[in-house]
């Protein structure tokens, strides 16, 4: 048996087509979704991400603003900008690109974003709403993981899902979302004993640890779906996931590649969140 590759790029393109159509319908009702992206400083990777977010807005037909601020920007100045964007009607979503320069308190900045505009899903109240099952904007990468599983035709309810990694931005919210989809969820992390034995019980295995090729076939139950959230830059310049893709091809039924798996989904889910925020702000259901 050989695993079916989950084509994240294709699935992401398909969702973007759906978003383009829905945005066109919203515009006919006089609503244009708007996203503000804030970049502080010159981090090269962040610059690339912000550029991709700007392009994605253009592609789906959103209004967008990119605020590129110098690295010396004070926390007070940044908070003042966020307050302005919180009150700006043309803006439905605010994304502050992380990491921020060391002199700015990231938590204070995230907390300042109005809940309805928290398209990253990082605000503590968004996280709380996710945990108790209230409506909230879902963090983009975790939402992308769920979308990839569903669009691969894999049923989540009743399955055993094992999440390796417990970060606030991926591991914990992915586990919560899988539980919300009625999976039985186990979370493994750096202090877990017998990790491969636990992982090998998973029907759904999600890996987000930031260690290149750390997970091989000894962690994978035959027939499992394997979702690799890791993106690691190797010494030769190539990208590698947290999963040893080649080694797992035999045992897995479905597996995401890196690049081209989870990665393309993140910005697409950001677009989806912005559209949802725009609909909610204008009292449009569905
Ligand atoms: N930096 C790396 N990933 C992300 C993300 O998903 N959101 C934000 N705001 N910053 C990031």
């Amino acid at each position: 048996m050989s695993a079916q590759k989950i084509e994240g790029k294709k699935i992401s393109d398909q969702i973007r087509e759906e978003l383009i159509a829905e945005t066109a319908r919203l515009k006919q009702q006089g609503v244009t979704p708007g996203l503000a992206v804030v970049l502080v400083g010159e981090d090269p990777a962040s610059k690339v991400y912000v550029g991709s977010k700007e392009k994605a807005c253009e592609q789906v037909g959103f209004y967008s603003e990119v605020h590129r601020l110098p690295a010396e920007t004070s926390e007070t100045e940044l908070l003042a900008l966020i307050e302005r964007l919180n009150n700006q009607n043309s803006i439905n979503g605010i994304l502050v690109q992380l990491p921020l320069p060391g002199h700015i308190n990231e938590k204070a900045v995230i907390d300042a974003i109005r809940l309805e505009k928290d398209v990253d899903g990082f605000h503590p109240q968004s996280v709380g709403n996710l945990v108790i099952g209230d409506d909230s904007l879902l963090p983009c990468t975790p939402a992308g993981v769920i979308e990839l599983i569903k669009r691969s035709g894999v049923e989540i309810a009743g399955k055993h899902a094992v999440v390796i990694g417990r970060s606030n931005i991926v591991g914990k919210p992915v586990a919560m979302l899988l539980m919300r989809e009625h999976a039985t969820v186990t979370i493994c992390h750096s202090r877990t004993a017998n990790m491969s034995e636990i992982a090998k019980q998973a029907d759904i295995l999600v890996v987000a640890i930031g260690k290149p090729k750390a997970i091989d076939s000894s962690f994978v139950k035959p027939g499992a779906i394997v979702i690799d959230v890791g993106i690691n830059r190797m010494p030769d310049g190539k990208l590698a996931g947290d999963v040893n893709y080649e080694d797992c091809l035999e045992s897995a039924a479905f597996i995401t590649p890196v690049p081209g798996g989870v990665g393309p989904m993140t910005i697409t889910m950001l677009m989806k969140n912005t559209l949802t925020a725009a609909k909610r702000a204008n009292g449009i259901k569905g």
Side-chain angles (χ1 to χ4, degrees):
M1 197 176 73
S2 185
Q4 188 179 324
K5 188 204 285 190
I6 300 175
E7 307 261 10
K9 177 74 172 72
K10 266 194 202 154
I11 294 173
S12 163
D13 287 347
Q14 190 187 333
I15 298 171
R16 286 203 195 183
E17 289 302 325
E18 295 164 16
L19 293 173
I20 289 168
E22 204 174 350
T23 303
R25 282 197 297 277
L26 276 184
K27 282 180 167 174
Q28 283 172 355
Q29 301 178 60
V31 174
T32 301
L35 176 69
V37 180
V38 181
L39 172 65
V40 185
E42 302 285 332
D43 180 74
S46 290
K47 278 183 171 173
V48 173
Y49 286 134
V50 166
S52 303
K53 288 166 187 176
E54 190 175 21
K55 259 196 224 140
C57 283
E58 196 181 327
Q59 185 198 2
V60 295
F62 292 177
Y63 168 71
S64 75
E65 284 179 8
V66 180
H67 297 263
R68 291 183 171 84
L69 308 178
E72 317 76 66
T73 303
S74 70
E75 187 175 312
T76 311
E77 285 170 313
L78 181 55
L79 290 172
L81 171 62
I82 288 173
E83 193 48 28
R84 185 153 66 73
L85 296 169
N86 276 340
N87 295 313
Q88 188 175 324
N89 287 336
S90 60
I91 293 299
N92 304 110
I94 302 169
L95 182 138
V96 179
Q97 188 67 30
L98 304 176
L100 289 167
H103 65 278
I104 298 178
N105 179 351
E106 253 172 36
K107 185 167 163 45
V109 171
I110 291 169
D111 287 2
I113 296 170
R114 204 166 132 180
L115 195 62
E116 295 86 346
K117 301 192 180 190
D118 176 33
V119 284
D120 248 339
F122 290 169
H123 191 289
Q125 209 173 324
S126 298
V127 178
N129 283 339
L130 165 62
V131 173
I132 62 178
D134 278 358
D135 269 350
S136 69
L137 295 165
L138 304 178
C140 302
T141 301
V145 167
I146 300 296
E147 205 64 45
L148 284 182
I149 298 170
K150 286 186 176 172
R151 290 186 188 234
S152 300
V154 172
E155 175 87 41
I156 300 175
K159 298 283 177 61
H160 185 193
V162 173
V163 178
I164 305 183
R166 55 174 160 179
S167 70
N168 287 333
I169 58 169
V170 184
K172 284 183 206 167
V174 162
M176 283 298 151
L177 285 174
L178 286 164
M179 190 159 65
R180 206 162 87 162
E181 298 288 337
H182 312 293
T184 302
V185 181
T186 304
I187 304 175
C188 297
H189 48 75
S190 52
R191 305 282 186 91
T192 298
N194 306 323
M195 195 191 292
S196 64
E197 279 167 39
I198 297 168
K200 216 160 181 159
Q201 296 169 25
D203 306 303
I204 298 168
L205 183 64
V206 180
V207 187
I209 49 178
K211 291 206 172 84
K213 302 187 184 185
I215 302 301
D216 63 17
S217 58
S218 69
F219 291 73
V220 178
K221 171 171 150 179
I225 176 168
V226 179
I227 307 289
D228 185 357
V229 188
I231 301 180
N232 307 285
R233 182 76 62 185
M234 303 302 277
D236 65 1
K238 289 196 181 133
L239 293 178
D242 293 346
V243 174
N244 186 333
Y245 180 84
E246 302 298 332
D247 194 61
C248 296
L249 272 178
E250 272 302 303
S251 46
F254 298 90
I255 186 165
T256 57
V258 176
V262 175
M265 294 295 288
T266 298
I267 293 180
T268 297
M269 300 319 282
L270 172 67
M271 298 298 114
K272 191 168 176 186
N273 271 348
T274 305
L275 191 131
T276 301
K279 286 201 291 192
R280 288 183 185 160
N282 290 279
I284 297 168
K285 295 237 155 44

